[in-house]
């Protein structure tokens, strides 16, 4: 029995190492870099096997090792899915949407169902067998890589030069009037989204105040370098709301006095304009601050809804093919390679139709609910910002690792839950002792 248990432990450690390698691959091998290496990952041509990210293969391998010590892999998989009905519903919904698209339109335009929507399931299944230390290791790995990515983005902004050529659609160069860093993830919006998510998730990570301020400052500067307006503004609003709620709770619990709150507010009142002036004079975030109006990028997000003018009832109910979606995009004036249906809800409705879209929505919210009910305050802000930001792009209707990384991040963050519970118990005990002493 001990031999079997030891063997299972070894397999779990191997699974953990491979899963960590998969996360490194997701955060370093961008579509632009894969194109530069000759891999047609996001090109409109090439073998289907190249349409899946290298991280997908690593993550699938990690899952296989994770289940290898439990006898029959299929039985082990079903057992793990039974442990989490929301995850089972999520997987069933995404699998049904994938099969529907595959049977109706063929493999073209279907790889993102696996790449984007199914790999989060592998993350949860692997994480369910990791201990708290391993989960914390997963989270810290993501944080370190995103911090390095933000630093690269800042360096790109300073030198006005991309580390990897900024391309889309298998190598089509993107020319913009204002420079935006692309760093390791290859696209400004992808960078901004993940930077925002890590910044907010770290609110639940215990760390000294000086380290938290340093991390927050660096990631906020990274957001400016990447030029994602939605991510930047939502992050600022989430941080302000979190700070206000935390201050209110601190006042009620007696951790802060009104003098602390007033002093902090006055300091912020003077510090924030000074920081804003410094950032403005450096030219960092120019696209964000000069683009807080309805520019071309924003108007595209309204124009896309005119596609319904070209659809009949059958199309709306049962969907149209990816090729037809591209034709419609051209009709409403979107550039074939450089612009897209910048709303994943609309794109999925177009491809799956009303019935398939309903299945997709139920599955997605089931998966997000799985994360929500396990999440702390920072993680819940992370989920809200993710849904809102992702809704302004074609994100989940295209090939992206963002959802997989979100699941990995919040599953890893759960490894700090025990430490947070011990801390909160330690805080409550002295308060209870004081109250008991007063009553005595």
């Amino acid at each position: 029995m001990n031999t079997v248990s030891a063997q299972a432990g070894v397999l779990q450690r191997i699974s953990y190492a491979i899963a960590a390698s998969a996360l490194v691959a997701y955060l370093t091998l961008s579509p632009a870099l894969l194109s530069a290496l000759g891999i047609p990952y996001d090109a409109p041509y090439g073998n289907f096997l190249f349409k899946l990210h290298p991280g997908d293969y690593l993550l699938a391998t990690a899952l296989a090792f994770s289940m290898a010590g439990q006898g029959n892999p299929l039985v082990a998989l079903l057992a793990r899915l039974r442990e989490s009905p929301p995850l089972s519903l999520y997987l069933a919904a995404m699998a049904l949407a994938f099969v529907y698209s595959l049977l109706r339109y063929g493999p073209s335009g279907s790889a993102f169902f696996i790449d984007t929507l199914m790999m989060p399931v592998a993350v949860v299944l692997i994480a369910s067998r990791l201990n708290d230390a391993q989960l914390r290791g997963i989270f810290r790995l993501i944080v370190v890589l995103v911090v390095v990515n933000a630093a690269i983005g800042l360096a790109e902004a300073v030198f006005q030069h991309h580390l990897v050529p900024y391309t889309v659609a298998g190598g089509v160069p993107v020319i913009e009037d204002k420079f935006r860093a692309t760093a390791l993830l290859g696209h400004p919006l992808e960078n901004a989204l993940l930077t925002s998510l890590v910044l907010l998730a770290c609110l639940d990570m215990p760390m000294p105040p000086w380290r938290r301020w340093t991390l927050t400052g660096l990631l906020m500067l990274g957001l400016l370098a990447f030029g994602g307006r939605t991510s930047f503004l939502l992050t600022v609003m989430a941080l302000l709301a979190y700070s206000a709620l935390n201050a209110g709770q601190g006042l009620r619990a007696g951790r802060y006095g009104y003098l602390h709150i007033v002093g902090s507010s006055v300091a912020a009142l003077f510090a924030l304009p000074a920081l804003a002036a410094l950032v403005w004079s450096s030219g960092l975030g120019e696209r964000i601050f000069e683009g807080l109006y309805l520019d071309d990028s924003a108007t595209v997000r309204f124009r896309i809804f005119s596609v319904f003018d070209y659809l009949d009832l059958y199309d709306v109910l049962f969907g149209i093919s990816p090729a037809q979606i591209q034709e419609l995009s051209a009709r409403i004036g979107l550039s074939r390679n450089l612009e897209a249906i910048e709303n994943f809800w609309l794109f999925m409705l177009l491809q799956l139709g009303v019935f398939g879209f309903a299945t997709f929505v139920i599955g997605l919210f089931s998966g997000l609910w799985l994360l929500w009910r396990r999440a702390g305050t920072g993680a819940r802000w992370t989920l809200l910002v993710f849904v809102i930001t992702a809704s302004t792009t074609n994100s989940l209707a295209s090939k992206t690792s963002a959802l997989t990384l979100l699941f990995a991040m919040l599953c890893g963050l759960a490894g700090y839950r025990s430490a947070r519970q011990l801390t909160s118990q330690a805080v409550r005990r002295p308060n209870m002792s004081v109250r008991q002493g007063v009553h005595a």
Side-chain angles (χ1 to χ4, degrees), residues 156 162 166 176 178-182 187-189 225-228 287:
E156 288 186 341
H162 292 122
Y166 183 15
E176 295 186 312
K178 290 183 176 63
F179 184 90
R180 289 191 292 174
T182 54
H187 194 286
L189 298 184
F226 297 131
R287 184 180 181 273

Side-chain angles (χ1 to χ4, degrees), residues 244-267:
L245 292 172
N246 195 45
Q249 291 172 354
L251 280 172
R252 288 194 297 272
R255 293 196 303 272
Y256 310 126
Y258 285 100
L259 189 59
H260 292 92
I261 303 299
V262 173
S264 300
S265 300
V266 171

Side-chain angles (χ1 to χ4, degrees), residues 36-326:
L37 295 174
I39 300 173
Y41 171 66
D42 66 340
Y45 55 83
N47 190 290
F48 186 83
L49 294 175
F50 293 115
K51 299 305 177 184
L52 301 179
H53 195 279
D56 298 346
Y57 294 107
L58 287 169
L59 204 55
T61 304
L63 180 59
F65 272 98
S66 180
M67 293 190 296
Q70 295 184 267
N72 188 310
L74 181 59
V75 174
L77 174 62
L78 294 175
R80 291 194 194 185
L81 287 172
R82 280 196 297 270
E83 293 172 4
S84 177
L87 184 67
S88 301
L89 179 57
Y90 173 87
L91 177 60
M94 298 309 164
L96 282 172
F98 173 59
V99 170
Y100 177 78
S101 179
L102 198 63
L103 293 176
R104 191 137 195 263
Y105 314 123
S108 177
S110 296
F112 78 89
F113 283 100
I114 300 173
D115 208 42
T116 302
L117 301 173
M118 292 189 186
M119 298 319 293
V121 177
V123 167
V124 178
L125 294 176
I126 293 167
S128 68
R129 294 302 183 269
L130 299 181
N131 58 42
D132 283 351
Q134 290 171 327
L135 290 173
R136 291 193 294 270
I138 289 292
F139 183 74
R140 284 195 295 266
L141 174 65
I142 294 173
V143 172
V144 168
L145 288 171
V146 169
V147 167
V148 170
N149 189 64
I152 292 172
L154 287 169
E156 288 186 341
V158 169
F159 295 104
Q160 297 286 292
H161 180 76
H162 292 122
L163 179 66
V164 177
Y166 183 15
T167 62
V168 295
V172 178
V174 178
I175 307 298
E176 295 186 312
D177 56 345
K178 290 183 176 63
F179 184 90
R180 289 191 292 174
T182 54
L184 297 175
L185 293 174
H187 194 286
L189 298 184
E190 185 90 353
N191 279 292
L193 174 60
L194 282 168
T195 304
S196 169
L197 299 182
V198 165
L199 193 160
L200 295 174
C202 281
L203 295 174
D204 288 340
M205 183 183 182
M207 66 179 76
W210 67 268
R211 187 180 298 173
R212 186 176 302 283
W213 282 105
T214 302
L215 178 65
T216 300
L218 176 60
L219 293 181
M220 288 300 293
L221 290 175
L223 280 174
L224 292 173
F226 297 131
R229 283 171 295 192
T230 303
S231 293
F232 177 78
L233 293 174
L234 287 175
T235 302
V236 170
M237 288 190 288
L239 287 174
L240 291 174
Y242 175 86
S243 300
L245 292 172
N246 195 45
Q249 291 172 354
L251 280 172
R252 288 194 297 272
R255 293 196 303 272
Y256 310 126
Y258 285 100
L259 189 59
H260 292 92
I261 303 299
V262 173
S264 300
S265 300
V266 171
L269 192 63
F270 285 100
L272 289 177
L275 288 173
L278 183 63
V279 169
W280 177 270
S281 64
S282 72
L284 193 62
E286 182 182 6
R287 184 180 181 273
I288 292 177
F289 297 121
E290 290 188 359
L292 293 178
Y293 57 87
L294 203 63
D295 65 357
D296 291 341
S297 177
T299 55
V300 164
R301 289 168 171 81
F302 291 96
R303 199 191 329 154
I304 56 177
F305 289 96
S306 62
V307 294
F308 288 108
D309 297 338
Y310 302 94
L311 300 177
D312 57 28
L313 181 60
Y314 183 87
D315 293 334
V316 173
L317 291 177
F318 299 102
I320 58 178
S321 69
Q324 289 175 293
I325 293 175
Q326 282 215 342

Side-chain angles (χ1 to χ4, degrees), residues 228-436:
R229 283 171 295 192
T230 303
S231 293
F232 177 78
L233 293 174
L234 287 175
T235 302
V236 170
M237 288 190 288
L239 287 174
L240 291 174
Y242 175 86
S243 300
L245 292 172
N246 195 45
Q249 291 172 354
L251 280 172
R252 288 194 297 272
R255 293 196 303 272
Y256 310 126
Y258 285 100
L259 189 59
H260 292 92
I261 303 299
V262 173
S264 300
S265 300
V266 171
L269 192 63
F270 285 100
L272 289 177
L275 288 173
L278 183 63
V279 169
W280 177 270
S281 64
S282 72
L284 193 62
E286 182 182 6
R287 184 180 181 273
I288 292 177
F289 297 121
E290 290 188 359
L292 293 178
Y293 57 87
L294 203 63
D295 65 357
D296 291 341
S297 177
T299 55
V300 164
R301 289 168 171 81
F302 291 96
R303 199 191 329 154
I304 56 177
F305 289 96
S306 62
V307 294
F308 288 108
D309 297 338
Y310 302 94
L311 300 177
D312 57 28
L313 181 60
Y314 183 87
D315 293 334
V316 173
L317 291 177
F318 299 102
I320 58 178
S321 69
Q324 289 175 293
I325 293 175
Q326 282 215 342
E327 290 175 10
L328 280 184
S329 299
R331 280 194 184 186
I332 62 174
L334 302 185
S335 170
R336 180 177 179 83
N337 291 319
L338 302 180
E339 293 179 322
I341 303 291
E342 295 286 358
N343 183 311
F344 79 84
W345 304 103
L346 176 58
F347 193 101
M348 295 303 284
L349 175 60
L350 291 174
Q351 183 160 336
L352 298 175
V354 169
F355 303 114
F357 178 70
T359 302
F360 165 77
V361 170
I362 291 170
L364 179 61
F365 278 104
S366 178
L368 296 177
W369 168 247
L370 171 70
L371 297 176
W372 180 272
R373 68 180 189 177
R374 300 177 179 181
T377 306
R380 289 186 171 182
W381 282 111
T382 303
L383 282 167
L384 289 172
V385 168
F386 173 82
V387 172
I388 297 171
T389 307
S391 298
T392 64
T393 69
N394 62 339
S395 56
L396 301 189
S398 63
K399 288 191 288 186
T400 174
S401 59
L403 189 62
T404 302
L405 290 168
L406 174 71
F407 272 71
M409 193 187 309
L410 298 191
C411 285
L413 196 56
Y416 290 97
R417 186 181 302 152
S418 300
R420 287 198 303 270
Q421 289 171 345
L422 288 173
T423 302
S424 62
Q425 289 170 4
V427 168
R428 282 198 298 269
R429 284 195 197 105
N431 290 338
M432 290 174 65
S433 301
V434 169
R435 286 196 296 270
Q436 288 168 359

Side-chain angles (χ1 to χ4, degrees), residues 22-46:
L23 296 177
V24 173
Y26 285 131
L27 286 163
T28 56
L29 299 177
S30 67
L33 178 57
L34 291 174
S35 295
L37 295 174
I39 300 173
Y41 171 66
D42 66 340
Y45 55 83

